[in-house]
PDB file of all heavy atoms in Angstrom:
ATOM      1  N   THR H 291     -46.420 -30.229 198.225  1.00 92.00           N
ATOM      2  CA  THR H 291     -44.970 -30.414 198.379  1.00 92.00           C
ATOM      3  C   THR H 291     -44.236 -29.134 198.014  1.00 92.00           C
ATOM      4  O   THR H 291     -44.623 -28.425 197.085  1.00 92.00           O
ATOM      5  CB  THR H 291     -44.475 -31.574 197.489  1.00 92.00           C
ATOM      6  OG1 THR H 291     -45.149 -32.771 197.872  1.00 92.00           O
ATOM      7  CG2 THR H 291     -42.973 -31.784 197.636  1.00 92.00           C
ATOM      8  N   LEU H 292     -43.182 -28.844 198.759  1.00 91.00           N
ATOM      9  CA  LEU H 292     -42.322 -27.695 198.487  1.00 91.00           C
ATOM     10  C   LEU H 292     -40.918 -28.199 198.199  1.00 91.00           C
ATOM     11  O   LEU H 292     -40.339 -28.938 198.999  1.00 91.00           O
ATOM     12  CB  LEU H 292     -42.297 -26.763 199.699  1.00 91.00           C
ATOM     13  CG  LEU H 292     -41.382 -25.536 199.615  1.00 91.00           C
ATOM     14  CD1 LEU H 292     -41.949 -24.532 198.621  1.00 91.00           C
ATOM     15  CD2 LEU H 292     -41.212 -24.887 200.984  1.00 91.00           C
ATOM     16  N   ILE H 293     -40.371 -27.845 197.045  1.00 89.00           N
ATOM     17  CA  ILE H 293     -38.976 -28.159 196.732  1.00 89.00           C
ATOM     18  C   ILE H 293     -38.163 -26.910 197.026  1.00 89.00           C
ATOM     19  O   ILE H 293     -38.305 -25.889 196.349  1.00 89.00           O
ATOM     20  CB  ILE H 293     -38.806 -28.611 195.270  1.00 89.00           C
ATOM     21  CG1 ILE H 293     -39.624 -29.884 195.024  1.00 89.00           C
ATOM     22  CG2 ILE H 293     -37.337 -28.851 194.958  1.00 89.00           C
ATOM     23  CD1 ILE H 293     -39.477 -30.463 193.643  1.00 89.00           C
ATOM     24  N   ALA H 294     -37.344 -26.985 198.061  1.00 88.00           N
ATOM     25  CA  ALA H 294     -36.658 -25.808 198.572  1.00 88.00           C
ATOM     26  C   ALA H 294     -35.172 -25.844 198.259  1.00 88.00           C
ATOM     27  O   ALA H 294     -34.633 -26.860 197.812  1.00 88.00           O
ATOM     28  CB  ALA H 294     -36.870 -25.710 200.082  1.00 88.00           C
ATOM     29  N   GLY H 295     -34.511 -24.708 198.511  1.00 87.00           N
ATOM     30  CA  GLY H 295     -33.074 -24.619 198.344  1.00 87.00           C
ATOM     31  C   GLY H 295     -32.349 -25.109 199.577  1.00 87.00           C
ATOM     32  O   GLY H 295     -32.961 -25.557 200.559  1.00 87.00           O
ATOM     33  N   ALA H 296     -31.037 -25.013 199.544  1.00 85.00           N
ATOM     34  CA  ALA H 296     -30.210 -25.516 200.650  1.00 85.00           C
ATOM     35  C   ALA H 296     -30.469 -24.735 201.932  1.00 85.00           C
ATOM     36  O   ALA H 296     -30.753 -23.537 201.914  1.00 85.00           O
ATOM     37  CB  ALA H 296     -28.737 -25.428 200.270  1.00 85.00           C
ATOM     38  N   ASN H 297     -30.358 -25.441 203.062  1.00 87.00           N
ATOM     39  CA  ASN H 297     -30.441 -24.844 204.395  1.00 87.00           C
ATOM     40  C   ASN H 297     -31.804 -24.224 204.668  1.00 87.00           C
ATOM     41  O   ASN H 297     -31.917 -23.217 205.368  1.00 87.00           O
ATOM     42  CB  ASN H 297     -29.338 -23.799 204.583  1.00 87.00           C
ATOM     43  CG  ASN H 297     -28.970 -23.612 206.041  1.00 87.00           C
ATOM     44  OD1 ASN H 297     -29.085 -24.526 206.840  1.00 87.00           O
ATOM     45  ND2 ASN H 297     -28.524 -22.420 206.389  1.00 87.00           N
ATOM     46  N   PHE H 298     -32.846 -24.834 204.119  1.00 89.00           N
ATOM     47  CA  PHE H 298     -34.197 -24.329 204.343  1.00 89.00           C
ATOM     48  C   PHE H 298     -34.572 -24.483 205.813  1.00 89.00           C
ATOM     49  O   PHE H 298     -34.298 -25.498 206.440  1.00 89.00           O
ATOM     50  CB  PHE H 298     -35.199 -25.101 203.485  1.00 89.00           C
ATOM     51  CG  PHE H 298     -36.612 -24.607 203.624  1.00 89.00           C
ATOM     52  CD1 PHE H 298     -37.059 -23.542 202.866  1.00 89.00           C
ATOM     53  CD2 PHE H 298     -37.486 -25.199 204.512  1.00 89.00           C
ATOM     54  CE1 PHE H 298     -38.359 -23.081 202.995  1.00 89.00           C
ATOM     55  CE2 PHE H 298     -38.790 -24.753 204.655  1.00 89.00           C
ATOM     56  CZ  PHE H 298     -39.225 -23.685 203.888  1.00 89.00           C
ATOM     57  N   GLY H 299     -35.208 -23.444 206.380  1.00 88.00           N
ATOM     58  CA  GLY H 299     -35.642 -23.490 207.766  1.00 88.00           C
ATOM     59  C   GLY H 299     -34.562 -23.161 208.768  1.00 88.00           C
ATOM     60  O   GLY H 299     -34.690 -23.507 209.949  1.00 88.00           O
ATOM     61  N   CYS H 300     -33.489 -22.501 208.328  1.00 88.00           N
ATOM     62  CA  CYS H 300     -32.426 -22.126 209.258  1.00 88.00           C
ATOM     63  C   CYS H 300     -32.914 -20.994 210.165  1.00 88.00           C
ATOM     64  O   CYS H 300     -34.006 -20.468 209.995  1.00 88.00           O
ATOM     65  CB  CYS H 300     -31.170 -21.707 208.498  1.00 88.00           C
ATOM     66  SG  CYS H 300     -31.409 -20.344 207.326  1.00 88.00           S
ATOM     67  N   GLY H 301     -32.103 -20.617 211.117  1.00 84.00           N
ATOM     68  CA  GLY H 301     -32.497 -19.575 212.051  1.00 84.00           C
ATOM     69  C   GLY H 301     -33.061 -20.171 213.324  1.00 84.00           C
ATOM     70  O   GLY H 301     -32.768 -21.312 213.680  1.00 84.00           O
ATOM     71  N   SER H 302     -33.887 -19.410 214.009  1.00 82.00           N
ATOM     72  CA  SER H 302     -34.423 -19.856 215.290  1.00 82.00           C
ATOM     73  C   SER H 302     -35.465 -20.949 215.094  1.00 82.00           C
ATOM     74  O   SER H 302     -36.161 -20.985 214.084  1.00 82.00           O
ATOM     75  CB  SER H 302     -35.043 -18.666 216.039  1.00 82.00           C
ATOM     76  OG  SER H 302     -36.101 -18.108 215.273  1.00 82.00           O
ATOM     77  N   SER H 303     -35.551 -21.822 216.080  1.00 79.00           N
ATOM     78  CA  SER H 303     -36.574 -22.865 216.049  1.00 79.00           C
ATOM     79  C   SER H 303     -37.929 -22.218 216.312  1.00 79.00           C
ATOM     80  O   SER H 303     -38.103 -21.509 217.309  1.00 79.00           O
ATOM     81  CB  SER H 303     -36.269 -23.920 217.110  1.00 79.00           C
ATOM     82  OG  SER H 303     -37.235 -24.930 217.106  1.00 79.00           O
ATOM     83  N   ARG H 304     -38.882 -22.443 215.412  1.00 80.00           N
ATOM     84  CA  ARG H 304     -40.143 -21.704 215.500  1.00 80.00           C
ATOM     85  C   ARG H 304     -41.297 -22.589 215.047  1.00 80.00           C
ATOM     86  O   ARG H 304     -41.498 -22.818 213.863  1.00 80.00           O
ATOM     87  CB  ARG H 304     -40.039 -20.444 214.643  1.00 80.00           C
ATOM     88  CG  ARG H 304     -41.215 -19.504 214.772  1.00 80.00           C
ATOM     89  CD  ARG H 304     -40.911 -18.178 214.091  1.00 80.00           C
ATOM     90  NE  ARG H 304     -39.819 -17.466 214.747  1.00 80.00           N
ATOM     91  CZ  ARG H 304     -39.305 -16.315 214.317  1.00 80.00           C
ATOM     92  NH1 ARG H 304     -39.766 -15.769 213.200  1.00 80.00           N
ATOM     93  NH2 ARG H 304     -38.325 -15.732 214.969  1.00 80.00           N
ATOM     94  N   GLU H 305     -42.076 -23.077 216.006  1.00 83.00           N
ATOM     95  CA  GLU H 305     -43.208 -23.933 215.672  1.00 83.00           C
ATOM     96  C   GLU H 305     -44.233 -23.240 214.775  1.00 83.00           C
ATOM     97  O   GLU H 305     -44.797 -23.867 213.869  1.00 83.00           O
ATOM     98  CB  GLU H 305     -43.875 -24.429 216.957  1.00 83.00           C
ATOM     99  CG  GLU H 305     -45.028 -25.387 216.733  1.00 83.00           C
ATOM    100  CD  GLU H 305     -44.593 -26.699 216.095  1.00 83.00           C
ATOM    101  OE1 GLU H 305     -43.425 -27.082 216.256  1.00 83.00           O
ATOM    102  OE2 GLU H 305     -45.437 -27.336 215.443  1.00 83.00           O
ATOM    103  N   PRO H 306     -44.523 -21.927 214.962  1.00 87.00           N
ATOM    104  CA  PRO H 306     -45.463 -21.275 214.046  1.00 87.00           C
ATOM    105  C   PRO H 306     -45.006 -21.297 212.584  1.00 87.00           C
ATOM    106  O   PRO H 306     -45.839 -21.200 211.685  1.00 87.00           O
ATOM    107  CB  PRO H 306     -45.528 -19.837 214.580  1.00 87.00           C
ATOM    108  CG  PRO H 306     -45.252 -19.986 216.033  1.00 87.00           C
ATOM    109  CD  PRO H 306     -44.203 -21.059 216.121  1.00 87.00           C
ATOM    110  N   ALA H 307     -43.692 -21.428 212.349  1.00 88.00           N
ATOM    111  CA  ALA H 307     -43.231 -21.547 210.966  1.00 88.00           C
ATOM    112  C   ALA H 307     -43.770 -22.819 210.334  1.00 88.00           C
ATOM    113  O   ALA H 307     -44.197 -22.835 209.176  1.00 88.00           O
ATOM    114  CB  ALA H 307     -41.701 -21.538 210.912  1.00 88.00           C
ATOM    115  N   VAL H 308     -43.778 -23.895 211.113  1.00 86.00           N
ATOM    116  CA  VAL H 308     -44.341 -25.155 210.627  1.00 86.00           C
ATOM    117  C   VAL H 308     -45.838 -25.007 210.398  1.00 86.00           C
ATOM    118  O   VAL H 308     -46.375 -25.450 209.375  1.00 86.00           O
ATOM    119  CB  VAL H 308     -44.061 -26.292 211.625  1.00 86.00           C
ATOM    120  CG1 VAL H 308     -44.706 -27.587 211.154  1.00 86.00           C
ATOM    121  CG2 VAL H 308     -42.555 -26.479 211.809  1.00 86.00           C
ATOM    122  N   ARG H 309     -46.519 -24.368 211.323  1.00 87.00           N
ATOM    123  CA  ARG H 309     -47.963 -24.199 211.195  1.00 87.00           C
ATOM    124  C   ARG H 309     -48.314 -23.319 209.990  1.00 87.00           C
ATOM    125  O   ARG H 309     -49.290 -23.577 209.285  1.00 87.00           O
ATOM    126  CB  ARG H 309     -48.537 -23.590 212.469  1.00 87.00           C
ATOM    127  CG  ARG H 309     -48.471 -24.509 213.674  1.00 87.00           C
ATOM    128  CD  ARG H 309     -49.380 -24.008 214.779  1.00 87.00           C
ATOM    129  NE  ARG H 309     -49.384 -24.941 215.899  1.00 87.00           N
ATOM    130  CZ  ARG H 309     -48.658 -24.798 216.995  1.00 87.00           C
ATOM    131  NH1 ARG H 309     -47.841 -23.761 217.108  1.00 87.00           N
ATOM    132  NH2 ARG H 309     -48.717 -25.672 217.968  1.00 87.00           N
ATOM    133  N   ALA H 310     -47.520 -22.272 209.757  1.00 90.00           N
ATOM    134  CA  ALA H 310     -47.787 -21.393 208.619  1.00 90.00           C
ATOM    135  C   ALA H 310     -47.625 -22.142 207.298  1.00 90.00           C
ATOM    136  O   ALA H 310     -48.432 -21.994 206.383  1.00 90.00           O
ATOM    137  CB  ALA H 310     -46.855 -20.181 208.664  1.00 90.00           C
ATOM    138  N   ILE H 311     -46.570 -22.960 207.206  1.00 91.00           N
ATOM    139  CA  ILE H 311     -46.355 -23.756 205.999  1.00 91.00           C
ATOM    140  C   ILE H 311     -47.509 -24.744 205.819  1.00 91.00           C
ATOM    141  O   ILE H 311     -48.049 -24.903 204.712  1.00 91.00           O
ATOM    142  CB  ILE H 311     -45.009 -24.498 206.073  1.00 91.00           C
ATOM    143  CG1 ILE H 311     -43.856 -23.498 206.052  1.00 91.00           C
ATOM    144  CG2 ILE H 311     -44.865 -25.482 204.914  1.00 91.00           C
ATOM    145  CD1 ILE H 311     -42.498 -24.116 206.317  1.00 91.00           C
ATOM    146  N   ALA H 312     -47.888 -25.413 206.893  1.00 88.00           N
ATOM    147  CA  ALA H 312     -48.987 -26.373 206.821  1.00 88.00           C
ATOM    148  C   ALA H 312     -50.296 -25.689 206.433  1.00 88.00           C
ATOM    149  O   ALA H 312     -51.131 -26.273 205.744  1.00 88.00           O
ATOM    150  CB  ALA H 312     -49.142 -27.097 208.152  1.00 88.00           C
ATOM    151  N   GLY H 313     -50.460 -24.436 206.861  1.00 89.00           N
ATOM    152  CA  GLY H 313     -51.665 -23.695 206.509  1.00 89.00           C
ATOM    153  C   GLY H 313     -51.806 -23.465 205.020  1.00 89.00           C
ATOM    154  O   GLY H 313     -52.920 -23.276 204.516  1.00 89.00           O
ATOM    155  N   LEU H 314     -50.690 -23.479 204.303  1.00 91.00           N
ATOM    156  CA  LEU H 314     -50.722 -23.344 202.844  1.00 91.00           C
ATOM    157  C   LEU H 314     -51.081 -24.659 202.159  1.00 91.00           C
ATOM    158  O   LEU H 314     -51.231 -24.702 200.941  1.00 91.00           O
ATOM    159  CB  LEU H 314     -49.348 -22.872 202.330  1.00 91.00           C
ATOM    160  CG  LEU H 314     -48.903 -21.471 202.745  1.00 91.00           C
ATOM    161  CD1 LEU H 314     -47.487 -21.206 202.239  1.00 91.00           C
ATOM    162  CD2 LEU H 314     -49.856 -20.411 202.216  1.00 91.00           C
ATOM    163  N   GLY H 315     -51.178 -25.733 202.951  1.00 91.00           N
ATOM    164  CA  GLY H 315     -51.485 -27.044 202.380  1.00 91.00           C
ATOM    165  C   GLY H 315     -50.257 -27.885 202.101  1.00 91.00           C
ATOM    166  O   GLY H 315     -50.362 -28.988 201.563  1.00 91.00           O
ATOM    167  N   ILE H 316     -49.072 -27.385 202.475  1.00 92.00           N
ATOM    168  CA  ILE H 316     -47.824 -28.103 202.230  1.00 92.00           C
ATOM    169  C   ILE H 316     -47.635 -29.165 203.307  1.00 92.00           C
ATOM    170  O   ILE H 316     -47.713 -28.873 204.498  1.00 92.00           O
ATOM    171  CB  ILE H 316     -46.630 -27.126 202.219  1.00 92.00           C
ATOM    172  CG1 ILE H 316     -46.766 -26.145 201.050  1.00 92.00           C
ATOM    173  CG2 ILE H 316     -45.303 -27.881 202.127  1.00 92.00           C
ATOM    174  CD1 ILE H 316     -45.792 -24.990 201.093  1.00 92.00           C
ATOM    175  N   ARG H 317     -47.368 -30.404 202.888  1.00 89.00           N
ATOM    176  CA  ARG H 317     -47.155 -31.495 203.835  1.00 89.00           C
ATOM    177  C   ARG H 317     -45.755 -32.073 203.765  1.00 89.00           C
ATOM    178  O   ARG H 317     -45.365 -32.857 204.630  1.00 89.00           O
ATOM    179  CB  ARG H 317     -48.165 -32.623 203.576  1.00 89.00           C
ATOM    180  CG  ARG H 317     -49.612 -32.238 203.728  1.00 89.00           C
ATOM    181  CD  ARG H 317     -49.919 -31.541 205.045  1.00 89.00           C
ATOM    182  NE  ARG H 317     -49.421 -32.231 206.228  1.00 89.00           N
ATOM    183  CZ  ARG H 317     -50.022 -33.255 206.818  1.00 89.00           C
ATOM    184  NH1 ARG H 317     -51.133 -33.756 206.318  1.00 89.00           N
ATOM    185  NH2 ARG H 317     -49.514 -33.805 207.907  1.00 89.00           N
ATOM    186  N   CYS H 318     -44.990 -31.742 202.724  1.00 88.00           N
ATOM    187  CA  CYS H 318     -43.659 -32.320 202.564  1.00 88.00           C
ATOM    188  C   CYS H 318     -42.708 -31.270 202.007  1.00 88.00           C
ATOM    189  O   CYS H 318     -43.095 -30.450 201.162  1.00 88.00           O
ATOM    190  CB  CYS H 318     -43.710 -33.523 201.624  1.00 88.00           C
ATOM    191  SG  CYS H 318     -42.096 -34.286 201.293  1.00 88.00           S
ATOM    192  N   ILE H 319     -41.479 -31.283 202.504  1.00 88.00           N
ATOM    193  CA  ILE H 319     -40.433 -30.385 202.003  1.00 88.00           C
ATOM    194  C   ILE H 319     -39.280 -31.231 201.500  1.00 88.00           C
ATOM    195  O   ILE H 319     -38.785 -32.109 202.204  1.00 88.00           O
ATOM    196  CB  ILE H 319     -39.932 -29.444 203.114  1.00 88.00           C
ATOM    197  CG1 ILE H 319     -41.082 -28.562 203.620  1.00 88.00           C
ATOM    198  CG2 ILE H 319     -38.782 -28.569 202.602  1.00 88.00           C
ATOM    199  CD1 ILE H 319     -40.726 -27.765 204.853  1.00 88.00           C
ATOM    200  N   ILE H 320     -38.858 -30.957 200.273  1.00 86.00           N
ATOM    201  CA  ILE H 320     -37.700 -31.635 199.682  1.00 86.00           C
ATOM    202  C   ILE H 320     -36.610 -30.590 199.502  1.00 86.00           C
ATOM    203  O   ILE H 320     -36.816 -29.565 198.856  1.00 86.00           O
ATOM    204  CB  ILE H 320     -38.048 -32.277 198.324  1.00 86.00           C
ATOM    205  CG1 ILE H 320     -39.137 -33.345 198.503  1.00 86.00           C
ATOM    206  CG2 ILE H 320     -36.809 -32.894 197.681  1.00 86.00           C
ATOM    207  CD1 ILE H 320     -39.619 -33.953 197.206  1.00 86.00           C
TER     208      ILE H 320
END
């Protein structure tokens, strides 16, 4: 799990961003 700050994931829509996060073992973002 990743506890993030406000407006996390802003900017361009990018599927590799999801894959990179998942590659770290993260399954949930709060």
